[in-house]
Structures are given as structure tokens and as C-alpha cells.
Amino acid sequence: MNPSGFLSSGIQRIMRIASITKGEAQQDEKKTIRMLSQWMLPFMFLLWIIFLSFASPVFLTWGNLFNVTRQIAVIGILSVTQLLCILTGNIDLSVGAFVGLFGALLAGLSIKLGFPLAFLICVLIALLWGFTNGFLVTRGEGISVIVTLSTMYVARGITLLFTEGHPIVNFPMPFEFLGARNLGPVPYNLITFAIVLAVVFVILRYTPLGRHLYAVGGNKQAAKVCGINTKKLTIGIFMTSSMLVALGSVILLGRVASAQPTAGTGMEMDSMATVLIGGASMSGGRGGVISTLIGVFMLGFINNGLNLLGISGYWQYVFKGSIILVAVMVDLLKNRK
Amino acid sequence: MLSGDYLLEMRDIHKSFGAVRAVQSVDLVLGRGEILGLLGDNAAGKSTLMKILTAFHKPDRGKIYVEGQEVHIHTPGDARRLGIEMIYQDFSLAPNLSIADNIFLGRELTKDFLGMRFIDRKRMEEKAKSAMSVTNIRLDSVKTIVTDLSGGQRQAVAIARATAFDAKVIIMDEPTASLSVKTIPPLLDLMVHLRDQGISMIFISHRIQDVFSTCDRVMVLRRGKCVGVAYTQDTTVDEVTSLIAGTQKTFGKNAQHFNPVGLEEYDA
Ligand SMILES: Nc1ncnc2c1ncn2[C@@H]1O[C@H](COP(=O)(O)OP(=O)(O)O)[C@@H](O)[C@H]1O
Ligand SMILES: [Mg+2]
């Protein structure tokens, strides 16, 4: 490059910097806030890990880490489900109760009808369940909380009626291996979770459908004017959700070898916590599979840490509730205009 | 001048919201490569009429023709496939997506892999870049997230989205209302530029001066009814203002030679 060219391009650059307006400065500030809030929770988590590794001698042992990892599959799959709902600006509070309902129905009906027929019926019920949730949610704006809170009660009630409050045991369970066995050193439940993660990751990142999901969450009106059928998409999400929850339920059945009437209790809160810790936005449109996976591990290590420190299980409620609140507040900070 | 060979026709359109008769028996025709100014007071029915074209509202009555063929627009996707694009006042962009993703939202470019369709990011970004260049707005990258854009830049994205797919008609509903004044002249220039490339436009604005400097014809709505259509060269800002306010019933003699309805010729 000749010197005069160099000079003039330098001048141009300076002029450009000088012309940065107040608006652009505000944009920069916004970006900084976004960056800070994005890394705040992971940073706190890192502090927690460091603290634990000093406070508890067993924390950083392979045995303990493996223990945490093998417990994350069910809540992990439910978190992916919740991620899809939250991304599109909804929430599914019925996931936990439906884990219980699906497990009870599958176990109970398997005893009466044999596994294959029972499985078929339960899958159809799950699809119908998802469709009902989705259909009701699309009747109005922002009603997913109350709709799925109601269906959560319905599911829990039916489960208790069906099981008469007792666990169901001794049922045929060909998929027991999903919850209870390993492929070599790796538990099948982790493999299943990994497959779910990978599929959803690819869909969200690399397919038109993924773009549409983010668009619906970011600006539903914009998605509509671009020809996206937002209602169909939402119903599809809730049906996918119920199928994944059913998968989680099968893994749980295999692991504990009994259908507990209270199975899945609190998992709606856990799945919400992991997605929000992972930086998703309650108002939709932001979040991803990787950050949700980080959220799943974070919640796993928080529970594990509290156990190792011998802190009462009751405190876990306080912690989880607080974490969700912090995550929501951070989210608001991110969205600040 | 306008011939019988219209690009877009709306005939005898009616739309009520309960007791509110938002649009009553309105006829609108649009020629090829012309800009039609749609004027009227607040609540005159301008937006409602346009939203019927993009299936945001379903008309109670009336027919729509594109290039002489009757069309039924049931979804926003139908409108897009017919080449009808609307630029909304709020730009209707997904703030969480990139410029390129917004431009291609709903019609992503894909490549096949193992029998499945995946997004072709590279091609989308290239094409988005050339679509953005139409607007003469400088941007670092089409990967920028829309949240980080200014109002003028967002509008550029909305315009790029409308022009990237061989649009025949672009509807702009008060595109200048949420912008700073300095961004208006470039927008008007761009509209004329697009018109010269053969794209027809319907331009809704309260700034009558802007309408006169860009539009070939103007159409005035008042309380849901069309009170007149005229070539801009045959009328004046004052006359149009009186029509909008209702102090004058319809266009004077100078502008009368344009028959706004044309139903008779049409039915014949
Ligand atoms: N979705 C709607 N529901 C009920 N009334 C509406 C709706 N949209 C528009 N209107 C009414 O229709 C009339 C025309 O509105 P609009 O087309 O927005 O007017 P303009 O765009 O000319 O200001 C107004 O009285 C408005 O209140
Ligand atoms: Mg309007």
C-alpha cells in the first residue's frame, strides 16, 4: 500500500471513530451489561465449585463426579423440554406431574394388558396430553403458566387416583436397561440424554425450524408476518415436550423399578432452574442446548454440594427458589433498554 | 398512465370490527411500477385496508386480484408468495436473530444433507449482504443481532427483507413515524429507486409533503370510505388536506379525469 493511501485510510478511520454517536455508545454499554450478566452465574458457579473442593474432601473424587453425572439424565431431558417451551415464550409446569402420570399408567397397564399394548396406549396418551397443553396455551397470550399449572394438578390427581397412593411394583419393563444398565462403562440413560441433546442442538442451530422457534420467542408478531404458523409450532413443541417427558419417565421407572405416585415432584421447578441458570430468557427467544447443559450440571453440583456439606434437604428448596429468582433478575437486567 | 392492466386490485372491500365500520366499499387499484399514496386521518381505515392484503384481517366482503387473477390470501405466507410485502411500523423483526436470519425468516435457504434440510448460512449471509446494499445503510456484518441496531438500521433490514425476494408490491405503513427526521430523505430516495426498478408501492404517511414528493397517485380515505383518487400532478397539498379533514367532499375538476372506481369498465 502506498503511503498516501495508508494516510487517507488512517484519516478515514479516525473520522469514523470521531463520528461515533451517543447512540452507539449506549449500544456498547448494552453489550457490556449483556456480557456481564451472561457470565455472572457461571462465575458464581465456579466459586461454588472451588469452595466445595476445599470444604469437602470427597467432592473432587471420580466417584462423586460420576455419581452426579449419572443422576442428571432425567432432569436433563426434562430441561431440554423446558428449554423448547421457554424459547418459544411459554412454560410447561406439568412436566414433573406428567413424569409421575406416565410412569404410573405404563406400570399399571403393563401388569393388566402386557407391556406392548400398555406402551402404545401410554404413548398415545402422551401425544394427546401434549396436544391438549399446546392447544389450550395457544388460545390466549401468556396463559401457559396457568394452563400447565392446572394440567399439572390434573395429572397429579389422576396419578394418585390410579395408584391409590401406593407405588406400583413388579411390572414387565423391557426398557429397564435405559434406567438401570450400562453400555460398557457408560449408563444407557446418559447415552439417551446425549442423543436428545445432540438432536435438539442440531435442530436449534442448523434447521429452519430452529430459526422459527427463536423467532417466535423473540417476536411472535414478526414470526407471523413471515408466514410462520405460530400456533402449529407451539402445539408441536408441547407434543414434543410430552414425548420427551415420557422418555424421562421410562428412564426413571427403569432406575427405581417402581412407579411412585409422587414421582417427578418438583421437576418442573428443577427444569426451569437449569434453563434459567443457563441464561435463557423467561420472555422467550434466548437460550441454547449447551447453556442448558451447563445449567443442568450447575444444579446437579449445587444439590450434590449441599448433600456433601450435610445441609438439610429443606435448604435445597430455599436455594433453588433463590437461584431462579436471581436468574430472572439477571434476565431483566439483560433486557433493560 | 394507469391502464386497465393493473398489478393489484381490491374491489368493494368491507371490514367491520363489531359496530366500527373500518373499511366500507373501498376500491383500490395499483399499476405496475407506481407509488400510490394512501392518506387519511387517524382511524380512517388505512392500516385495516392494507392488513387485509397480508391476511392480518379477513375482509367481510370484497375481492382481490393480482395481475388480473382473483387471489385468496388466507395467511401472511400467501401474501408473500404473491409478491406482496409489507413493512410494518414497528418493522416486525425478531430482535434476538441476526440480520441475515431476519431477512430469510420463513424462507430460509437450505441445503440437503442425509435427506434433511439444513440452513445454508453462508449463502444466506452472502445474499443478505447484497440485499442490505440496496438500502445504502452501512453495517459491519449481517451477523449482527437486531437488538444492537438503531431504528434506521432496523428499517433497512425490514426493507431488505421486503426487496430480497422479487417483491411486486411493497406496502409501507407510516415507515417514517418512528424514525429521526434525518433518515427520511434517504428512505424517500430509496422508494423512488425501487419504483424505477419496477416495484409498485403503497405508501401510508401523515407527512403529505413526503407523499407528494414520491407518489404518482394519491388516494384519500375518510371514515372507512374512499373520498377520492387523483394523480399527484393534478392536485395540491391543500386540496388533499381538505379532503382528509372532510372540508372538501372530493377532488376538484382538475383531478376528476381519473375515475377512481372503474367498476363499470371492470364488469364489462
Ligand atoms: N383489530 C381491531 N379491532 C377492533 N377495531 C379495530 C382493529 N383495527 C382497527 N380497528 C378500528 O378500525 C378503525 C380503522 O383503524 P385503522 O385502519 O388502524 O386506521 P388508520 O390506519 O387509518 O389510522 C379504527 O376505528 C380502529 O379503532
Ligand atoms: Mg394506521
Side-chain angles (χ1 to χ4, degrees):
Chain A
M1 188 190 280
N2 67 38
S4 73
F6 180 72
L7 189 66
S8 73
S9 85
I11 290 174
Q12 270 173 14
R13 205 167 302 161
I14 291 167
M15 304 240 313
R16 209 159 58 218
I17 292 167
S19 77
I20 288 180
T21 58
K22 203 170 133 221
E24 283 174 52
Q26 277 172 353
Q27 290 292 343
D28 284 351
E29 190 192 337
K30 224 161 82 178
K31 272 186 204 169
T32 316
I33 289 177
R34 217 160 59 200
M35 283 285 285
L36 279 177
S37 51
Q38 203 153 0
W39 293 107
M40 195 165 98
L41 280 168
F43 180 72
M44 279 164 56
F45 176 60
L46 196 68
L47 289 183
W48 173 245
I49 296 279
I50 294 170
F51 167 72
L52 276 184
S53 50
F54 284 107
S56 160
V58 284
F59 177 71
L60 269 186
T61 59
W62 280 116
N64 183 53
L65 296 183
F66 191 65
N67 201 19
V68 171
T69 309
R70 64 179 301 132
Q71 283 171 8
I72 64 172
V74 175
I75 190 62
I77 290 173
L78 260 58
S79 299
V80 171
T81 295
Q82 200 64 267
L83 169 69
L84 293 174
C85 289
I86 288 179
L87 262 188
T88 48
N90 295 304
I91 187 127
D92 188 350
L93 294 176
S94 74
V95 290
F98 194 63
V99 165
L101 178 59
F102 189 88
L105 288 178
L106 183 59
L109 292 179
S110 291
I111 292 173
K112 291 192 185 102
L113 308 171
F115 180 80
L117 185 59
F119 187 68
L120 185 72
I121 292 174
C122 286
V123 167
L124 289 178
I125 289 175
L127 285 172
L128 186 70
W129 182 263
F131 179 82
T132 309
N133 266 341
F135 179 80
L136 294 175
V137 162
T138 53
R139 293 307 96 187
E141 288 302 314
I143 59 171
S144 62
V145 170
I146 192 67
V147 165
T148 58
L149 187 63
S150 310
T151 55
M152 162 181 156
Y153 265 66
V154 172
R156 189 60 74 194
I158 297 175
T159 312
L160 290 168
L161 286 170
F162 185 77
T163 59
E164 292 169 342
H166 303 299
I168 301 173
V169 290
N170 290 328
F171 47 89
M173 186 59 190
F175 290 152
E176 185 229 11
F177 73 95
L178 276 181
R181 294 191 198 289
N182 291 4
L183 180 67
V186 191
Y188 274 107
N189 66 32
L190 274 189
I191 296 175
T192 315
F193 178 40
I195 292 172
V196 170
L197 275 181
V199 170
V200 175
F201 177 81
V202 168
I203 288 176
L204 287 183
R205 270 282 175 91
Y206 299 110
T207 68
L209 176 64
R211 295 296 90 190
H212 298 178
L213 291 177
Y214 279 98
V216 168
N219 183 349
K220 195 187 255 177
Q221 203 52 46
K224 270 188 198 159
V225 307
C226 287
I228 294 166
N229 189 337
T230 57
K231 286 196 173 144
K232 208 167 113 187
L233 206 65
T234 306
I235 293 175
I237 287 293
F238 275 93
M239 290 176 78
T240 310
S241 166
S242 64
M243 292 314 290
L244 285 174
V245 173
L247 179 64
S249 181
V250 167
I251 292 175
L252 196 63
L253 271 190
R255 188 163 84 206
V256 297
S258 72
Q260 301 286 338
T262 56
T265 302
M267 284 190 181
E268 61 284 334
M269 212 54 177
D270 285 4
S271 62
M272 210 163 92
T274 57
V275 174
L276 292 177
I277 299 171
S281 165
M282 265 320 275
S283 52
R286 194 172 47 226
V289 168
I290 306 242
S291 47
T292 298
L293 181 62
I294 294 174
V296 170
F297 272 102
M298 281 167 72
L299 192 73
F301 281 116
I302 289 166
N303 286 340
N304 177 247
L306 293 174
N307 286 337
L308 290 180
L309 296 177
I311 294 172
S312 154
Y314 299 146
W315 273 107
Q316 299 195 6
Y317 288 107
V318 178
F319 272 82
K320 270 181 220 166
S322 309
I323 288 166
I324 292 180
L325 284 178
V326 170
V328 169
M329 291 305 132
V330 169
D331 180 35
L332 290 179
L333 192 67
K334 274 189 245 184
N335 288 337
R336 214 180 58 168
K337 285 276 146 57
Chain B
M1 293 283 136
L2 215 55
S3 71
D5 178 25
Y6 303 123
L7 176 61
L8 173 76
E9 298 165 67
M10 300 177 82
R11 294 292 179 187
D12 196 26
I13 304 288
H14 291 252
K15 176 72 194 176
S16 299
F17 299 103
V20 181
R21 295 206 233 160
V23 174
Q24 294 179 62
S25 190
V26 171
D27 288 274
L28 179 151
V29 297
L30 186 66
R32 289 167 204 277
E34 79 159 346
I35 307 181
L36 172 70
L38 190 54
L39 294 163
D41 230 341
N42 272 330
K46 308 178 296 288
S47 297
T48 304
L49 186 63
M50 291 301 100
K51 284 177 178 172
I52 285 172
L53 278 179
T54 54
F56 199 92
H57 297 312
K58 191 177 172 325
D60 301 331
R61 231 174 95 186
K63 290 183 172 176
I64 302 171
Y65 302 82
V66 172
E67 295 179 322
Q69 298 279 322
E70 183 172 0
V71 294
H72 299 278
I73 303 172
H74 296 299
T75 66
D78 290 344
R80 282 180 141 198
R81 278 184 286 278
L82 289 165
I84 300 171
E85 297 276 346
M86 182 142 167
I87 295 172
Y88 294 83
Q89 199 175 326
D90 65 356
F91 310 136
S92 279
L93 301 171
N96 54 335
L97 294 186
S98 72
I99 293 174
D101 283 346
N102 265 287
I103 289 177
F104 286 93
L105 190 56
R107 38 196 174 188
E108 292 80 5
L109 302 177
T110 55
K111 53 186 174 192
D112 283 2
F113 183 70
L114 300 175
M116 282 183 291
R117 288 169 63 232
F118 293 98
I119 283 180
D120 192 343
R121 272 229 162 74
K122 219 172 130 209
R123 213 150 54 88
M124 272 169 44
E125 278 160 11
E126 276 165 21
K127 290 215 165 177
K129 229 181 258 174
S130 70
M132 285 303 292
S133 70
V134 173
T135 63
N136 283 324
I137 292 249
R138 276 177 176 277
L139 281 166
D140 299 336
S141 158
V142 290
K143 291 181 197 167
T144 311
I145 306 295
V146 165
T147 310
D148 294 331
L149 300 181
S150 68
Q153 289 170 326
R154 286 179 199 209
Q155 181 173 61
V157 177
I159 293 172
R161 182 172 70 187
T163 53
F165 293 87
D166 300 324
K168 292 179 186 140
V169 182
I170 297 180
I171 301 160
M172 302 203 188
D173 192 350
E174 308 204 24
T176 56
S178 52
L179 292 184
S180 62
V181 179
K182 66 167 195 215
T183 59
I184 294 177
L187 175 69
L188 301 182
D189 288 346
L190 176 61
M191 287 173 62
V192 172
H193 172 73
L194 292 173
R195 191 258 321 269
D196 293 344
Q197 296 194 329
I199 298 177
S200 304
M201 268 164 283
I202 301 175
F203 180 34
I204 299 177
S205 177
H206 284 294
R207 292 166 53 100
I208 302 182
Q209 273 305 344
D210 293 348
V211 171
F212 267 73
S213 65
T214 50
C215 294
D216 303 283
R217 283 189 305 131
V218 289
M219 172 168 166
V220 182
L221 291 185
R222 189 170 157 72
R223 299 193 177 145
K225 289 183 178 154
C226 173
V227 292
V229 184
Y231 286 103
T232 352
Q233 69 212 37
D234 298 338
T235 179
T236 61
V237 172
D238 285 346
E239 193 178 28
V240 167
T241 311
S242 320
L243 247 69
I244 292 170
T247 51
Q248 184 177 331
K249 277 249 150 48
T250 188
F251 283 112
K253 279 203 183 87
N254 281 345
Q256 277 300 325
H257 58 80
F258 179 79
N259 172 8
V261 179
L263 267 180
E264 296 81 355
E265 334 156 356
Y266 191 77
D267 285 339

